[in-house]
Amino acid sequence: MNDASPPAPLDIAALREEFPILRQTVRGRRLVFLDSAASAQKPRVVIAAMVQAMETQYANVHRGLHWMSERTTDAYEGTRDAVARLINAPDRHEIVFTRNSTEAINLVAHSYGRGVLRPGQAVVVSEMEHHSNLVPWQMLRDAHGIELRVAPVSDAGELDMAALERLLADRRVGLVAVTHMSNVLGSYTPAQRIAALAHDHGARVLFDGSQAIVHRRVDVQAIDADFYVFTGHKLYGPTGIGVLWGRRALLDAMPPFLGGGDMISSVTWERSTWADLPHKFEAGTPAIIEAIGLGAAIGFVESVGYDAIAAHEAALTEHALARLSVIEGVHVLGRAQDRGGVVSFTLDRAHAHDVATLLDRQGIAVRAGQHCAEPLMRRFGVDSTTRASFGVYTTGDEIDQLADTLARVREFFA
Amino acid sequence: MFEDLRDLYQEVILDHGRRPRHGARLAAFDATAKGDNPMCGDRVQVFVRRDGAGRIAEVGFEARGCAISIASADLMAETVAGLSAGEAQALAARFRDMARSGEGAGDDAAIERLRPLAGVHEFPSRVKCATLPWHALLAALDGKGEASSE
């Protein structure tokens, strides 16, 4: 993961050519898109793959005995292979397609939570979870008698590992479900150490990789995860397609989530039996075109290369922190040592929504609000923040534009 | 740089957003309600004190939110003082129309006082910031505890 020689710098100008939307103007200005953590823009290869599938090889999957269905099934299943390769899953059958990370977590909360965890056991989340990795566990707690424990985050925005260990000490925790990278603070969590700690205390571990996998290579075997989830649309792919990876033994032991077609082995009036993995968890016609788009997105990310992506974004983040920290009244949330391309901040005397509206007038798209992480906002004593997030196509010039404009926003509200 | 935003952020809005005159819980009140915009996290609680005739004597509020929502709450508190519940409801309806369309709503003193907020109609995502305090006021007058911006 840490190559000795630094990766070749990205040819950003060429890379940006691959994203047609970046040529758009907003309010008469060139779009400065700093909201990739909410959803990333799509490269031409993804758009083309989806269009090509619909124009040349489309039918339902796993059903037809005809040429078109077989070709479409090949393409759909090809993405499963691509995902397995991307995250180094040992077995392609452990890759389950879902609608997004939220659905993947709900699947685990439902099938593993109710099917395997027992009332009286506990689930641990962290203080910096997106609501998608919090609310499903609250629902499990209320429906199934599972205790929900919250591992605190330090003022620097890092997971408090000592506190996590204390939460695990009574060995009643069945699952640790934490983010691999905060969508607000940008902090990475030490996945390998968390997994080791959880396993030492008899717990399984799920990582919400929605943000992390965009910025850094993920190896589920190296970190020794039990479940890993991510979504396609943040990884330069389409909406409507996400991934759950789980160890085969765990997935095998879990009851299905949704019932319907494609997930059964046989059906009679009395009972049904379940299909093998992964189909047991893929009821109904899946997001075929979107899965094909995700396959193209993975190909795109691999062609750029994680080493180059990580180096580019580390440089951008460092630049952003340096520029923002010298603007009077700007306060960046969290200062984790290990962080990705997401920077949240407040500006004295100006609410995040007002900041976002002014930035938008200059064509700069950021996110403002609570970022689906209301408890984390409360933890840091803020109502809302403005968040700038970066992708492979983000440039240092765009960060300069953000910083220059912010200085003017400050004057506006001074 | 932001000259084209002066319609939205007029001086009166910046002023009342920064230094609201009615931005406090009333020591004594007859009705209260909270308003919540879960999409953005804006939150306001409105307090209403009535006079002997049942008219609105005073309105105060506690809020967290943007300049638009704070200014709107403050100008609302100012303009509904002295109104009956029915008159406040009528003003709320006219204000809502003005916030959505940017125009109309009459030319009486109360609506003219609120007119600086008409600029939000050009910002669909910000209309709710302006109308949230009014939803909370109506909920308080109706005896409901909660209002949402929906």
Side-chain angles (χ1 to χ4, degrees), chain A residues 349 351 353-354 357-359 361-362 369-370 374 383-384 405 408-409 412-414, chain B residues 1-2 4-6 8-9 14 18 40-43 64-68 123 126:
Chain A
R349 300 164 67 82
H351 190 275
H353 296 154
D354 298 316
T357 291
L358 266 68
L359 293 175
R361 275 285 136 159
Q362 301 300 313
Q370 304 190 332
E374 199 177 333
D383 293 340
S384 60
T405 311
R408 306 295 291 272
V409 171
F412 189 90
F413 288 108
Chain B
M1 180 177 260
F2 302 112
D4 56 342
L5 279 173
R6 289 289 168 190
L8 180 63
Y9 293 104
L14 290 175
R18 196 174 295 146
C40 64
D42 278 2
R43 195 162 282 178
R64 67 168 203 219
C66 59
I68 311 287
F123 301 82
R126 306 302 300 277

Side-chain angles (χ1 to χ4, degrees), chain A residues 267-350:
Chain A
V267 175
T268 66
W269 289 121
E270 289 72 33
R271 62 187 293 267
S272 298
T273 54
W274 315 134
D276 289 335
L277 291 175
H279 305 292
K280 180 170 84 173
F281 293 111
E282 292 182 6
T285 294
I288 299 167
I289 300 299
E290 289 77 6
I292 291 169
L294 175 60
I298 290 170
F300 168 78
V301 168
E302 288 176 333
S303 73
V304 178
Y306 271 113
D307 292 337
I309 292 173
H312 173 60
E313 292 180 0
L316 286 176
T317 306
E318 194 178 328
H319 184 55
L321 291 172
R323 286 293 318 261
L324 294 181
S325 65
V326 296
I327 302 172
E328 200 187 327
V330 167
H331 309 280
V332 173
L333 242 69
R335 41 175 197 285
Q337 288 298 312
D338 192 17
R339 64 184 299 159
V342 169
V343 177
S344 288
F345 57 90
T346 58
L347 176 60
D348 290 347
R349 300 164 67 82

